[in-house]
Amino acid sequence: MSVEKLQITLSEFKKAKPDVDHLEFGTQFTDHMFVMDYSSETGWHDARIVPYQPITLDPACMVFHYGQTVFEGLKAYLTADGEVLLFRPEKNMARLNQSNERLCIPPVNEEFVIYALKRLIQIDREWIPAKEEMSLYIRPFVISTEPYLGVAPSKHFKLIIIMSPVGSYYKSGVNPVKILVENDYVRAVAGGTGTAKTGGNYAASLKAQEVAAAKGYSQVLWLDGIEKNYIEEVGSMNIFFIIDGEAVTPALNGSILEGVTRNSVIQLLKHWDIPVSERRISIKEIFELHEEGKVTEAFGTGTAAVISPVGELNWKDKTIVLNGGKTGEISQKLYTTITGIQKGSLPDVLEWTQKADEGLLVK
Amino acid sequence: MSVEKLQITLSEFKKAKPDVDHLEFGTQFTDHMFVMDYSSETGWHDARIVPYQPITLDPACMVFHYGQTVFEGLKAYLTADGEVLLFRPEKNMARLNQSNERLCIPPVNEEFVIYALKRLIQIDREWIPAKEEMSLYIRPFVISTEPYLGVAPSKHFKLIIIMSPVGSYYKSGVNPVKILVENDYVRAVAGGTGTAKTGGNYAASLKAQEVAAAKGYSQVLWLDGIEKNYIEEVGSMNIFFIIDGEAVTPALNGSILEGVTRNSVIQLLKHWDIPVSERRISIKEIFELHEEGKVTEAFGTGTAAVISPVGELNWKDKTIVLNGGKTGEISQKLYTTITGIQKGSLPDVLEWTQKADEGLLVK
Ligand SMILES: Cc1ncc(COP(=O)(O)O)c(C=O)c1O
Ligand SMILES: Cc1ncc(COP(=O)(O)O)c(C=O)c1O
């Protein structure tokens, strides 16, 4: 699909912008959205930017019944110079197509969707909060829209992008979280959908999150579904441990999501000459190594929090406290560096950011 | 919620009924639908029967992102006397609430929903095809409707019931199917959502179905996700084997769906003094016992086909043919008996059916 094919209908009025000091994640949305339709006869077509508006669907549409959906999550940042930066959007688009492949959803033209996204950001640019650590959260998602109750891949889809201004994740500096290791519920196994960003994985996780929250833990650490022994990932983050000076993170084993932040952290650590090992890690090993004083830090990585230090880990009623419950040195340095690159205040040493108005026909 | 609380708005016009000789499953829907809303403040409320119509939702609604949905499937049948029968609807409503529990969806009042369903059927009664082996397929489903991108249980839901006339599953008598044993993809593991009727399970199954179809198999047989050795269930059916005169079916192990038909088949077999064993069965065992001539029949059980004899089973490029690829005696007897009870042409020995106008205030 060529870029000329993007139809734009501007909203006749603009919504009031939210108070940036009281932003709540994912509740307020910008004035416009991007929509593109797919049908098996014509492929992806009718790409358009339109006023943010409800979707009207037949109650038989497959998305309501068989969960054939995928989504992505990334952010746009406003620099001190008034430039808008996107952080590795090509990674998110590549992952969108990987998720599509697993869910029998036809691939999208990644470059075109990035182009459309940049155009959307340009139009709703005023919605990007200027303040430190704030950003515009971007949510591309695909839903299956054929009104048919047979269990089969849909012949119709919609790709939609909506955007929501988000405040800083940490109210008063980076703050370690308490995490509960999950022993009953399972998020995914190899051969399942764990490597895809699809609704069912998140639906499956709600129950365990509820139990963890009731016990005072903010997140769940998933173990493998087979032996309930190997560490997989946290709610919506990948996880790293600093063991004896080496950064260790679970290998991409076919059931965990490959985070863009995970990849960035690995690259950055290597750039700093800190050894990184992607391998199997058992929860038992972590508890034993901790006893020996070898686990000096642990942190989650994800688009929302960027780096989320783990202060406490509870497994089968045993608790370990990491780095005295405080943010570790490496966690802090990663956080400062990545958010600095995202905000354009630190040099983009690994060439991760793209200017949101780069490649646009209309400036 | 009391029955008086059911608001009814009749459609101003009636759609043309489809040609019953060319019914396609799940594509045409009756004139009305049932809708009920949930909010965390007021609970389930605003129960109503309205003209069949599209749903309008904010694009941020959780159902589009996190797969927090459940559904059910059951049928209404027209007897030769013009009576409408429901087959064990209380079982489907109980399972709906079990699925709800796993997916963090608030429970519904099962009796009230059955009442509302009966009222809906009464209104759209003309849509039930009269012909032998035809029926009205009923699809209750719950979707999460809060417009919020946080990963958390939704505070708003909709329960909707839509109905679709369906033709006979078998065009010319009960027909055995060819089934491919799946070795790569996994449907569910204990601790996951396999026991719930939720969209994500079906989304996860699409890829394997696609591969199987390309190889000429109509369905996939799922093995356990851990050892890829134990038999779980078929696409949308449970499975039984007749081994040495005994009916064997996988035990409810925490990852398979408890089918209403499975339960009915077990009861009926016991009623006929055929021994039934619910246990672990490995695929290896089936292939070995088949070699010894001990596996005389295999069949799937589910609402759609009722009984679906397995003619051929392929596992790792080895094929076994069951009962010469023909419908076995027990399969046929189960099919005839259950469909006879459903249609009211055979005595309802186990008291499974409910008259659809029973308990209604308006006759
Ligand atoms: C299950 C899961 N794991 C990991 C991540 C981290 O991925 P990323 O760094 O791309 O945000 C996310 C969030 O996107 C997630 O949902
Ligand atoms: C995964 C799965 N297993 C088994 C069944 C059979 O259940 P029932 O007999 O209640 O239709 C179904 C269909 O409903 C199903 O979707």
Side-chain angles (χ1 to χ4, degrees):
Chain A
M1 197 175 311
S2 69
V3 293
E4 302 95 76
K5 286 282 176 61
L6 179 63
Q7 295 272 348
I8 295 177
T9 310
L10 293 183
S11 178
E12 279 178 30
F13 61 95
K14 291 182 176 181
K15 292 185 266 193
K17 306 277 181 305
D19 173 3
V20 292
D21 291 323
H22 297 92
L23 286 176
E24 222 187 297
F25 176 78
T27 53
Q28 281 155 311
F29 299 89
T30 68
D31 288 320
H32 298 86
M33 63 197 235
F34 171 73
V35 185
M36 182 163 71
D37 295 318
Y38 175 91
S39 79
S40 48
E41 299 94 44
T42 47
W44 286 106
H45 65 278
D46 207 3
R48 57 204 186 268
I49 289 172
V50 292
Y52 186 93
Q53 61 193 263
I55 320 172
T56 297
L57 294 173
D58 193 282
C61 279
M62 286 179 161
V63 61
F64 297 132
H65 304 270
Y66 305 127
Q68 198 188 8
T69 66
V70 299
F71 70 95
E72 268 304 325
L74 67 162
K75 287 177 175 175
Y77 307 83
L78 196 64
T79 70
D81 307 340
E83 196 103 60
V84 179
L85 296 180
L86 281 167
F87 187 73
R88 313 187 77 189
E90 72 287 358
K91 278 269 181 198
N92 292 91
M93 288 306 142
R95 189 170 64 186
L96 183 72
N97 268 342
Q98 282 157 23
S99 299
N100 281 345
E101 159 68 22
R102 179 63 184 86
L103 274 295
C104 299
I105 296 175
V108 299
N109 178 333
E110 298 169 24
E111 270 174 55
F112 175 72
V113 177
I114 291 179
Y115 172 82
L117 169 61
K118 286 180 172 177
R119 203 60 187 90
L120 180 64
I121 292 171
Q122 191 182 42
I123 290 169
D124 280 345
R125 184 194 161 99
E126 290 164 26
W127 282 84
I128 313 177
K131 283 205 177 177
E132 192 64 32
E133 298 191 344
M134 296 193 176
S135 59
L136 188 67
Y137 181 77
I138 298 158
R139 168 58 58 90
F141 62 105
V142 182
I143 55 174
S144 44
T145 54
E146 186 183 352
Y148 172 47
L149 296 187
V151 180
S154 180
K155 294 197 181 72
H156 294 266
F157 297 93
K158 268 184 198 299
L159 165 70
I160 298 175
I161 305 179
I162 56 177
M163 307 196 296
S164 171
V166 287
S168 101
Y169 193 86
Y170 297 104
K171 302 299 160 206
S172 48
V174 179
N175 222 340
V177 291
K178 290 165 68 177
I179 288 184
L180 183 67
V181 181
E182 177 57 47
N183 267 303
D184 299 321
Y185 296 106
V186 170
R187 178 187 168 272
V189 283
T193 55
T195 58
K197 217 163 157 66
T198 181
N201 296 338
Y202 299 82
S205 77
L206 296 174
K207 193 84 196 169
Q209 293 278 12
E210 211 172 59
V211 173
K215 289 187 185 166
Y217 293 87
S218 67
Q219 303 252 18
V220 158
L221 178 69
W222 297 105
L223 299 180
D224 75 281
I226 295 176
E227 299 184 37
K228 300 254 172 76
N229 184 20
Y230 299 101
I231 292 172
E232 299 245 319
E233 60 184 313
V234 181
S236 47
M237 296 192 290
N238 296 108
I239 190 149
F240 286 75
F241 298 89
I242 307 294
I243 304 174
D244 243 353
E246 181 187 54
V248 181
T249 191
L252 300 173
N253 60 353
S255 58
I256 71 177
L257 191 80
E258 182 175 2
V260 176
T261 321
R262 175 187 183 278
N263 178 286
S264 308
V265 162
I266 291 172
Q267 283 193 41
L268 210 46
L269 290 169
K270 288 184 175 168
H271 183 75
W272 293 337
D273 288 327
I274 295 174
V276 182
S277 164
E278 299 177 59
R279 63 166 169 91
R280 263 190 163 192
I281 320 161
S282 79
I283 184 71
K284 200 156 159 274
E285 183 186 344
I286 290 296
F287 271 66
E288 283 168 7
L289 288 169
H290 180 266
E291 202 137 291
E292 297 169 26
K294 288 184 178 156
V295 185
T296 50
E297 289 183 47
F299 54 88
T301 67
T303 296
V306 185
I307 300 294
S308 182
V310 180
E312 214 181 290
L313 212 51
N314 181 294
W315 177 49
K316 294 185 177 170
D317 296 326
K318 260 176 69 184
T319 296
I320 55 174
V321 174
L322 291 140
N323 195 41
K326 294 200 190 67
T327 300
E329 199 183 314
I330 295 176
S331 308
Q332 183 63 55
K333 189 174 168 196
L334 283 166
Y335 180 81
T336 308
T337 309
I338 296 174
T339 54
I341 292 171
Q342 288 169 336
K343 271 287 191 178
S345 63
L346 286 179
D348 185 9
V349 280
L350 292 158
E351 295 181 17
W352 283 334
T353 60
Q354 280 186 36
K355 288 184 183 156
D357 62 3
E358 217 163 69
L360 289 187
L361 302 180
V362 194
K363 298 260 167 171
Chain B
M1 198 176 312
S2 67
V3 294
E4 301 96 75
K5 286 280 177 61
L6 180 61
Q7 295 272 348
I8 296 176
T9 309
L10 293 181
S11 178
E12 279 179 31
F13 61 94
K14 291 182 176 180
K15 293 185 266 193
K17 305 278 182 307
D19 173 2
V20 292
D21 291 323
H22 297 92
L23 286 176
E24 222 187 297
F25 176 79
T27 53
Q28 280 156 312
F29 299 89
T30 68
D31 288 321
H32 298 86
M33 63 197 234
F34 170 73
V35 185
M36 182 164 71
D37 296 318
Y38 176 90
S39 78
S40 48
E41 299 94 44
T42 47
W44 287 106
H45 65 279
D46 207 2
R48 57 205 186 269
I49 289 172
V50 292
Y52 186 93
Q53 61 192 262
I55 320 172
T56 296
L57 293 173
D58 193 283
C61 279
M62 286 180 163
V63 61
F64 297 131
H65 304 270
Y66 304 129
Q68 198 188 9
T69 65
V70 300
F71 69 95
E72 269 304 324
L74 66 162
K75 286 177 175 175
Y77 308 83
L78 196 64
T79 70
D81 307 340
E83 197 104 62
V84 180
L85 295 181
L86 281 167
F87 186 73
R88 312 186 79 187
E90 72 287 358
K91 279 268 179 197
N92 292 90
M93 288 307 142
R95 188 170 65 186
L96 182 73
N97 269 342
Q98 282 157 24
S99 299
N100 281 345
E101 159 68 22
R102 179 64 184 85
L103 274 296
C104 299
I105 297 174
V108 299
N109 178 332
E110 298 169 24
E111 271 174 54
F112 175 73
V113 177
I114 291 178
Y115 172 82
L117 169 60
K118 286 180 171 176
R119 202 65 186 88
L120 180 64
I121 292 170
Q122 191 182 41
I123 290 169
D124 280 345
R125 183 194 162 98
E126 291 164 25
W127 283 84
I128 314 177
K131 284 205 176 177
E132 192 63 32
E133 299 191 342
M134 296 194 176
S135 59
L136 188 67
Y137 181 77
I138 298 159
R139 169 56 58 89
F141 62 105
V142 182
I143 55 173
S144 44
T145 54
E146 186 183 352
Y148 171 47
L149 296 187
V151 180
S154 180
K155 295 197 181 73
H156 295 265
F157 298 92
K158 268 183 198 301
L159 165 70
I160 299 174
I161 305 179
I162 56 177
M163 306 195 297
S164 171
V166 288
S168 100
Y169 193 86
Y170 297 105
K171 302 298 161 206
S172 47
V174 179
N175 221 340
V177 291
K178 292 166 67 178
I179 288 184
L180 183 67
V181 181
E182 177 57 47
N183 267 303
D184 299 322
Y185 296 107
V186 171
R187 179 187 168 271
V189 283
T193 55
T195 58
K197 217 163 157 64
T198 181
N201 296 338
Y202 299 82
S205 77
L206 296 173
K207 193 83 195 169
Q209 293 279 13
E210 211 172 60
V211 173
K215 289 187 184 166
Y217 292 87
S218 67
Q219 301 253 18
V220 158
L221 178 69
W222 298 106
L223 298 181
D224 76 280
I226 295 175
E227 298 183 39
K228 301 254 172 74
N229 185 20
Y230 298 101
I231 291 172
E232 301 245 318
E233 60 184 315
V234 181
S236 48
M237 297 191 289
N238 297 107
I239 189 148
F240 286 75
F241 298 89
I242 306 295
I243 304 173
D244 243 353
E246 181 186 53
V248 181
T249 190
L252 300 173
N253 60 353
S255 58
I256 71 177
L257 190 80
E258 182 176 3
V260 176
T261 321
R262 175 186 184 278
N263 178 285
S264 308
V265 163
I266 291 173
Q267 283 193 41
L268 210 46
L269 290 169
K270 288 184 176 168
H271 183 74
W272 293 338
D273 288 328
I274 294 174
V276 181
S277 164
E278 300 178 57
R279 64 166 170 92
R280 263 191 164 191
I281 321 161
S282 78
I283 184 71
K284 200 155 158 275
E285 183 186 345
I286 290 296
F287 271 65
E288 283 168 8
L289 288 170
H290 180 266
E291 202 138 293
E292 297 169 27
K294 288 184 178 157
V295 185
T296 50
E297 290 183 46
F299 54 87
T301 67
T303 296
V306 185
I307 300 294
S308 181
V310 179
E312 213 183 292
L313 211 52
N314 180 294
W315 177 49
K316 294 185 177 168
D317 295 326
K318 259 176 70 184
T319 295
I320 55 174
V321 174
L322 291 139
N323 194 42
K326 296 200 191 67
T327 300
E329 201 184 313
I330 295 177
S331 308
Q332 184 63 56
K333 189 175 167 195
L334 282 166
Y335 181 79
T336 308
T337 309
I338 297 174
T339 53
I341 292 171
Q342 288 169 336
K343 271 286 192 177
S345 63
L346 286 179
D348 186 8
V349 280
L350 292 158
E351 296 182 15
W352 283 334
T353 60
Q354 280 186 35
K355 289 185 184 156
D357 62 2
E358 217 162 69
L360 291 187
L361 303 181
V362 193
K363 299 260 168 172

